[in-house]
Amino acid sequence: MPQIHLDEETVERLDALRLDDEEYDEIVSELISIYEAEELTLFRGSDAE
C-alpha cells in the first residue's frame, strides 16, 4: 500500500472527522467514495441539460 505524508493541519482535519477511533484508511476510503458519488452525480446532471 502506498504511503503518504500529511501536514499537521490535514491530520487535525481528519481527526475531527474520526468517529470512535476510526482508522485513517477508513476515513480516506469514505471520503473517496463520497467524492466519486458526487462526481458521478455532477456528471449525470450535466447530461440532462
Side-chain angles (χ1 to χ4, degrees), residues 20-38:
D20 301 321
D21 296 325
E22 188 175 29
E23 297 292 326
Y24 289 116
D25 61 336
E26 294 172 306
I27 293 173
V28 171
S29 293
E30 186 174 341
L31 291 171
I32 290 170
S33 294
I34 291 168
Y35 174 81
E36 289 173 341
E38 287 181 2

